[in-house]
Amino acid sequence: MRPDILFPLFAALNSLKGVGPRIAALLEKAAGPHVIDLLWHLPREIVDRRERPTIAQALPGKIVTLTLTIGRHDAPSDRRRPYRIQASDPTGSLTLTFFRGDKKYLEQLLPEGSQRIVSGRLDLYNGIKQMSHPDHVHPLDKASEIPDIEPVYPLTQGVTPKVLGKALTAALARVPELPEWLDTAHLARTKWPAWHEALHAAHGPRGPSDLSPLSPIRQRLAYDELLANQLALTVVRRKAKRQGGQSVEGDGSLRRQVRDALPFALTGSQESALAEIFADMASPNRMLRLLQGDVGSGKTVVALMAMLNAVECGGQAALMAPTEILARQHYETIAPLVAKIGLKCVILTGRDKGAARRDSLAALAEGRAPIAIGTHALFQDDVAFRDLKLAIIDEQHRFGVHQRLSLGSKGHRADVLVMTATPIPRTLTMTAYGDLDSSRLTDKPPGRQPIKTVVIADSRLHEVVDGIGRKLKEGAKVYWVCPLVEESETSDLADAEGRYADLCRSFGEAKVALVHGRMKGKEKDAAMARFIDGPADILVATTVIEVGVNVPAATVMVIEHAERFGLAQLHQLRGRVGRGDAASTCILVRAEQLSETARERLRTMAETEDGFLIAEKDLELRGAGEILGTKQSGLPEFRLADIALHGELMRIAHDDARLVLERDPDLTGDRGRKLRYLLYLFERDAAIANLKSG
Ligand code: ADP
Ligand code: MG
């Protein structure tokens, strides 16, 4: 239960003085529903109102604070026209302009003949100085109410600085003094302010340096947020481990048979990943392990071996993929291999219905099928396993392990292995998975040739088409990626359908296939089939191909508008070629005009193929918030911390959380009890539920 002292912070915004339903709705959109959310909503900029010129000195475009004598009101007869008020000082005159101005209100605010101090942005309108909708208007005796330095908050359009300032003052007044939860030595070393002081200071910056993410104020708040994140993850993870799993250690017979049937030997990192996985499975604790490996690094075989270990013990294993295409691809790789050793493998996706689905369900429930491959459909309530010992989740480049751990709950504390093809910077893995154990496939299967990557301006697209013509004659298969499906009037993005039509004209319709996100499953399959083993040698695609798709014969990847893709995405896409033993090329077609970051991204692509390096660069260039688009990615969103800038704090918080919980696993000690406040503040109540009460 949340401590009483925190209740006022979790009240709705309209409980604040001066915040009615309209303002509350606007603030909620910007910040969130509770008072605490408003407090976490930090200013991005400041407005300096210390400039106090005369009208004659005042420069258009600047924020100024003026002392004015108010003159005539020109109230328009038509409300659509602006309401104008004349004003002057001894050096000149100016117009105060209000759109949709309310006569009564304005006559009260700025009565004719009165003196007022007014602050806002000065403009020129038809050569006359004007200020529209001043930010502050006060009688002279209230001049001190105009702040010298005023914080500016993001996304708060429609809320005047004055109203926002009042709401924040009311919110800050509710901030209780809480016991210090940070380690004393840590605090002494960093000289950070206490939590409530930091919060006040964050909302009352005294200059631009106070807004810096590296200021002591912001670091303190960011650290609190990161520590709450790490504590919560570590608590949940320790609980999962404590619950224990089962010891799974097969006799190796099935694994040996499959190894003998494989046309290749496993790489060093495949072997060491397997050794780690088998050790986890053998231990009585539940396995929660992340297997990271670049596209094409050979995760599937590792997954298969792990599954066979479970099957050797008489159990079952399930592999869940994020998309239909990918699930089928896994199925097509794995099913024939295990059929050879007499094992039944079923597939279960949203498309499998009726009698076939019923058969698969029965085979799983009775244990006749030891291996299941599928999509989210594997989760559905009517899917039951006789004895699921291992759940493998192939996330490709999504995250969200927490929801998907529930697949593990379909077995009796089944071991869980999460596979991802996006090399994730270590700081990000920590935020998403905390202390999850991880294995990395760092070496590629032998025989792979490096992919030659070239960057070409789109004015030379015809040369690319000519080049493709030559490659086709040599027997190459080509991916051609476009960012959007349909041309929209407002966008000059290359359009997959338009490009498909062009390429059909150049090479003939039979030679070209098209897949995009809006196609139905069957159409997609048909198009893919024409490319994989049919007559089509060019596959025009939107990014649907980025997940999955293994066509070893494909050796050319063209990416149009490459500057619009993120590094991680480009890397994923490029990984679709270079899978066979022939040399491959990746052509990044770019716009004429590029931003500096886009240029840097493309340069990185041309320079390296190392996914882990590219991931670090991506984090550096984009910032964590943007990596993969946080919302869909399942990565936690931080309000106060920025992983790209606060990576070091993240590492410290990670160690801090681990140490604390090692000494005080249920947070019942002195610091532990204080840290519980921190968890509540950041709404980690679920983590607290995992602690014994204290
Ligand atoms: P990932 O899932 O990591 O993207 P895959 O498991 O699909 O990669 O493997 C890519 C290709 O490499 C597959 O064709 C696979 O058969 C092959 N492969 C995997 N391991 C090896 C190896 N040790 N030696 C040679 N080829 C391998
Ligand atoms: Mg694979």
Side-chain angles (χ1 to χ4, degrees):
M1 281 280 283
R2 179 185 293 149
D4 289 355
I5 192 173
L6 299 182
F7 273 36
L9 297 178
F10 287 91
L13 286 173
N14 63 11
S15 71
L16 293 170
K17 205 167 158 255
V19 177
R22 189 184 71 85
I23 297 295
L26 288 169
L27 292 181
E28 177 165 347
K29 235 172 108 193
H34 301 127
V35 172
I36 188 84
D37 297 312
L38 185 62
L39 290 167
W40 295 152
H41 194 66
L42 300 186
R44 285 261 175 81
E45 288 167 65
I46 50 178
V47 172
D48 189 337
R49 299 197 185 279
R50 286 175 299 186
E51 197 69 31
R52 300 201 169 203
T54 61
I55 293 180
Q57 292 164 334
L59 295 175
K62 291 240 181 248
I63 300 283
V64 292
T65 303
L66 304 167
T67 306
L68 301 174
T69 304
I70 306 303
R72 201 183 66 242
H73 284 226
D74 297 326
S77 49
D78 179 348
R79 280 266 281 162
R80 280 170 302 182
R81 303 181 66 85
Y83 189 112
R84 293 204 164 85
I85 301 172
Q86 302 309 320
S88 62
D89 74 1
T91 69
S93 62
L94 120 161
T95 312
L96 299 171
T97 309
F98 296 85
F99 298 91
R100 309 190 147 272
D102 179 66
K103 187 162 192 287
K104 250 205 188 126
Y105 168 75
L106 289 172
E107 278 172 355
Q108 225 170 26
L109 184 70
L110 293 152
E112 189 169 345
S114 68
Q115 291 227 297
R116 287 292 182 265
I117 183 153
V118 171
S119 187
R121 181 177 305 278
L122 192 79
D123 302 316
L124 274 189
Y125 180 73
N126 285 342
I128 296 170
K129 284 181 181 174
Q130 76 159 8
M131 188 184 286
S132 34
H133 297 267
D135 301 324
H136 295 271
V137 175
H138 289 290
L140 298 194
D141 57 343
K142 294 251 175 74
S144 62
E145 291 201 4
I146 296 184
D148 280 346
I149 306 258
E150 187 172 70
V152 180
Y153 293 85
L155 306 171
T156 45
Q157 256 185 5
V159 186
T160 65
K162 198 170 133 186
V163 170
L164 187 57
K166 272 198 176 149
L168 274 161
T169 307
L172 283 166
R174 291 194 184 182
V175 174
E177 286 208 27
L178 296 173
E180 181 57 72
W181 48 73
L182 291 189
D183 176 62
T184 319
H186 184 204
L187 209 57
R189 201 167 48 243
T190 54
K191 303 200 171 60
W192 288 343
W195 174 71
H196 76 279
E197 278 170 44
L199 208 48
H200 276 271
H203 289 286
R206 282 158 309 162
S209 65
D210 282 354
L211 298 179
S212 157
L214 300 179
S215 69
I217 301 167
R218 294 287 178 109
Q219 288 207 44
R220 159 81 213 217
L221 295 174
Y223 188 79
D224 283 342
E225 183 172 42
L226 293 170
L227 184 58
N229 162 272
Q230 289 302 296
L231 275 174
L233 287 169
T234 311
V235 164
V236 171
R237 171 148 170 67
R238 286 179 70 104
K239 167 115 187 252
K241 275 210 160 169
R242 227 162 28 190
Q243 275 178 341
Q246 28 180 328
S247 172
V248 176
E249 198 170 12
D251 61 6
S253 55
L254 299 175
R255 282 172 279 173
R256 205 166 313 118
Q257 290 179 57
V258 167
R259 261 178 198 262
D260 290 346
L262 285 176
F264 49 74
L266 298 188
T267 64
S269 40
Q270 282 171 325
E271 294 286 8
S272 50
L274 278 173
E276 288 165 343
I277 291 167
F278 293 149
D280 279 3
M281 292 177 78
S283 101
N285 288 335
R286 191 171 170 200
M287 171 170 78
L288 290 174
R289 180 171 285 278
L290 183 65
L291 175 62
Q292 285 184 275
D294 232 331
V295 171
S297 58
K299 293 183 294 298
T300 315
V301 167
V302 174
L304 174 60
M305 291 296 170
M307 293 199 279
L308 292 175
N309 185 28
V311 178
E312 283 166 13
C313 295
Q316 291 167 295
L319 168 58
M320 189 182 84
T323 65
E324 176 90 35
I325 292 187
L326 197 56
R328 300 215 170 263
Q329 196 135 54
H330 279 314
Y331 180 75
E332 272 144 32
T333 314
I334 289 172
L337 276 172
V338 299
K340 273 193 210 149
I341 54 173
L343 299 180
K344 183 177 169 66
C345 171
V346 299
I347 182 156
L348 213 57
T349 73
R351 264 204 263 159
D352 300 293
K353 299 212 169 80
R357 181 167 190 276
R358 274 196 302 279
D359 282 351
S360 298
L361 291 189
L364 289 176
E366 291 157 21
R368 276 184 288 119
I371 295 180
I373 294 174
T375 56
H376 275 88
L378 285 170
F379 265 128
Q380 279 157 7
D381 286 340
D382 60 346
V383 182
F385 292 84
R386 196 178 64 93
D387 180 15
L388 183 68
K389 287 197 190 300
L390 172 67
I392 301 182
I393 298 148
D394 184 359
E395 298 199 318
Q396 287 288 320
H397 52 256
R398 285 165 223 216
F399 300 83
V401 63
H402 304 296
Q403 303 88 294
R404 291 171 208 192
L405 283 180
S406 61
L407 182 61
S409 67
K410 286 212 178 269
H412 182 69
R413 288 166 189 169
D415 286 327
V416 176
L417 179 69
V418 179
M419 305 200 289
T420 166
T422 303
I424 313 166
R426 190 149 160 66
T427 40
L428 282 190
T429 346
M430 274 189 227
T431 67
Y433 307 103
D435 235 354
L436 204 68
D437 301 311
S438 108
S439 303
R440 287 180 159 199
L441 299 184
T442 47
D443 48 4
K444 290 210 170 173
R448 297 284 160 75
Q449 301 214 25
I451 303 168
K452 187 177 159 212
T453 300
V454 289
V455 182
I456 286 186
D458 57 11
S459 54
R460 293 167 58 196
L461 197 67
H462 58 279
E463 291 173 36
V464 175
V465 175
D466 292 347
I468 297 292
R470 283 191 299 276
K471 290 276 183 193
L472 290 181
K473 288 207 185 87
E474 292 165 16
K477 294 233 176 220
V478 178
Y479 289 112
W480 190 299
V481 176
C482 304
L484 268 192
V485 184
E486 266 166 38
E487 199 162 340
S488 79
E489 283 181 355
T490 52
S491 157
D492 59 353
L493 281 182
D495 138 31
E497 280 170 345
R499 183 60 63 213
Y500 169 70
D502 289 347
L503 292 170
C504 284
R505 269 193 294 280
S506 302
F507 301 111
E509 229 167 277
K511 283 269 174 225
V512 194
L514 171 69
V515 288
H516 59 68
R518 298 211 201 142
M519 278 178 156
K520 297 238 163 55
K522 286 230 167 72
E523 288 175 86
K524 242 186 249 177
D525 288 352
M528 287 302 299
R530 280 184 56 221
F531 179 63
I532 294 169
D533 24 53
D537 289 332
I538 304 179
L539 181 71
V540 179
T542 55
T543 46
V544 286
I545 63 156
E546 105 196 53
V547 266
V549 184
N550 189 16
V551 185
T555 53
V556 181
M557 166 66 66
V558 181
I559 304 174
E560 276 196 69
H561 281 292
E563 76 281 358
R564 310 214 178 186
F565 292 91
L567 260 179
Q569 235 180 344
L570 289 173
H571 179 63
Q572 291 287 337
L573 286 168
R574 180 170 62 184
R576 298 295 124 203
V577 296
R579 303 196 129 206
D581 35 25
S584 296
T585 313
C586 174
I587 302 170
L588 302 174
V589 182
R590 64 161 177 88
E592 217 54 54
Q593 299 293 323
L594 288 185
S595 72
E596 193 40 52
T597 359
R599 201 176 295 277
E600 182 88 22
R601 277 205 298 271
L602 298 182
R603 196 178 309 136
T604 305
M605 285 301 293
E607 275 167 10
T608 183
E609 268 189 74
D610 180 334
F612 289 101
L613 212 100
I614 290 177
E616 298 289 348
K617 191 79 190 171
D618 200 22
L619 180 62
E620 179 194 316
L621 286 179
R622 285 203 292 168
E626 275 179 67
I627 294 253
L628 313 164
T630 354
K631 278 252 159 54
Q632 301 94 302
S633 70
L635 273 178
E637 283 179 86
F638 291 107
R639 323 267 314 255
L640 308 169
D642 178 341
I643 295 302
L645 297 167
H646 294 136
E648 190 50 37
L649 291 185
M650 180 77 222
R651 278 181 283 275
I652 300 170
H654 176 76
D655 292 345
D656 196 359
R658 234 187 30 212
L659 275 174
V660 166
L661 289 166
E662 246 157 52
R663 274 187 234 137
D664 183 10
D666 286 300
L667 296 181
T668 47
D670 178 42
R671 187 173 174 215
R673 280 201 311 275
K674 295 170 182 168
L675 282 165
R676 286 176 175 235
Y677 286 109
L678 177 69
L679 289 170
Y680 280 114
L681 268 184
F682 286 95
E683 298 180 69
R684 303 293 183 167
D685 305 30
I688 298 177
N690 280 295
L691 299 169
K692 293 203 195 87
S693 61

